[in-house]
Amino acid sequence: MSDNRTPVVILVRPQMGENIGAAARAMLNFGLTEMRLVEPRDGWPNPKAVAMASGAAGKVLDHAKVYPTLASAMEGIEYAFATTARGRELSKPVFTPQTAMDKARALDGRCALIFGPERAGLENDDVARANAIVTVPVNPDFPSLNLAQAVLLMGYEWGRDTLPPEPAPHVRKAAAELLADRVEIEKLGDHYEEKLKESGFFFPETKAESMRLNLRNMWSRLTLTQGDVRILHGVLRQLTRR
């Protein structure tokens, strides 16, 4: 399912099927598709996980593999990141999610993102099997993240440089969404200037030319669609109707 550079997500002793399903959704949001499970508490497969994954993310669960130990789940992994606020007493580099995923993109082989069980997170024995620790800089008064949130943060940092930076533009836009050209803007300005002149807006005469210039400049600064222009013409016609 994945190429040799996309990180593998390893969930160690996950407790609730709903959290596994939510993690699968978070993974697929950012192009992570390989999940490995170590001793899931409620067994596998888990219908609650499937229900929470909802639709396309179900394919992540369909291909998820179950392992008896974290050591066996490291098959084919060359570098592993343990996501935890614990384990600082171990002599390992500690990264933020952004720095960790920058390093992951520079690796030649597979890397793994290891997440612990919901209640207490990874134990030191788990962290000892990783190359580095990833800790999220959060509010020290409330540092708790649920499993799917942690997966989402790591996935976002991975996808930030590998996925399109913005949503793909619509292939075809409705006329109301097409930008008005300069001629349409010019005619709109003429329409307003005409009606404002009839209403006596340009007063006193000594300031009239400056007022017209400022209004014309205002129209040129606005980014209007063809639909916007039609609405503004209609507003003016309604306001000036006798």
Side-chain angles (χ1 to χ4, degrees):
M1 292 181 68
S2 303
D3 63 36
N4 287 331
R5 294 187 60 254
T6 306
V8 174
V9 172
I10 302 177
L11 306 185
V12 178
R13 299 180 297 279
Q15 297 170 320
M16 297 178 63
E18 293 90 339
N19 290 335
I20 298 172
R25 294 178 65 168
M27 288 171 59
L28 196 58
N29 282 150
F30 300 103
L32 302 177
T33 57
E34 185 170 347
M35 175 186 283
R36 300 182 184 181
L37 303 171
V38 177
E39 295 184 284
R41 185 191 67 182
D42 296 335
W44 195 257
N46 188 310
K48 292 182 178 179
V50 175
M52 180 60 74
S54 181
K59 70 180 183 181
V60 175
L61 302 181
D62 291 341
H63 292 83
K65 295 181 180 178
V66 180
Y67 295 82
T69 64
L70 175 57
S72 61
M74 294 279 214
E75 178 186 8
I77 300 300
E78 296 184 13
Y79 198 97
F81 299 92
T83 60
T84 180
R86 302 166 63 184
R88 292 298 187 97
E89 63 271 22
L90 300 174
S91 180
K92 292 183 185 296
V94 179
F95 300 125
T96 65
Q98 178 180 351
T99 306
M101 293 301 90
D102 286 343
K103 181 174 180 61
R105 281 187 285 272
L107 296 172
D108 291 328
R110 301 299 300 277
C111 73
L113 312 179
I114 307 172
F115 301 87
E118 297 90 321
R119 187 177 296 277
L122 293 170
E123 297 177 359
N124 281 348
D125 283 348
D126 303 317
V127 177
R129 287 175 166 78
N131 299 85
I133 292 170
V134 180
T135 298
V136 180
V138 294
N139 178 5
D141 294 329
F142 191 70
S144 176
L145 291 174
N146 69 34
L147 178 59
Q149 287 175 327
V151 173
L152 187 74
L153 281 170
M154 296 298 290
Y156 170 77
E157 291 298 344
W158 168 259
R160 197 160 47 84
D161 286 349
T162 58
L163 297 176
E166 297 179 3
H170 296 297
V171 175
R172 182 178 180 182
K173 292 186 176 182
E177 297 176 333
L178 296 174
L179 290 179
D181 62 27
R182 302 320 304 170
V183 172
E184 291 168 315
I185 300 293
E186 190 73 15
K187 289 181 178 178
L188 181 64
D190 291 341
H191 189 187
Y192 271 77
E193 188 172 313
E194 174 192 347
K195 297 301 181 181
L196 289 171
K197 182 178 179 180
E198 292 175 2
S199 69
F201 177 79
F202 298 111
F203 181 86
E205 184 63 33
T206 54
K207 295 185 178 180
E209 188 58 34
S210 175
M211 294 169 72
R212 290 190 185 92
L213 181 62
N214 287 336
L215 278 171
R216 189 65 62 170
N217 188 47
M218 180 193 73
W219 290 118
S220 70
R221 293 200 309 270
L222 297 178
T223 302
L224 300 173
T225 66
Q226 294 176 0
D228 295 333
V229 169
R230 287 195 296 272
I231 289 173
L232 289 170
H233 278 298
V235 167
L236 187 58
R237 282 192 292 268
Q238 188 65 29
L239 288 174
T240 57
R241 180 173 293 167
R242 295 292 184 268

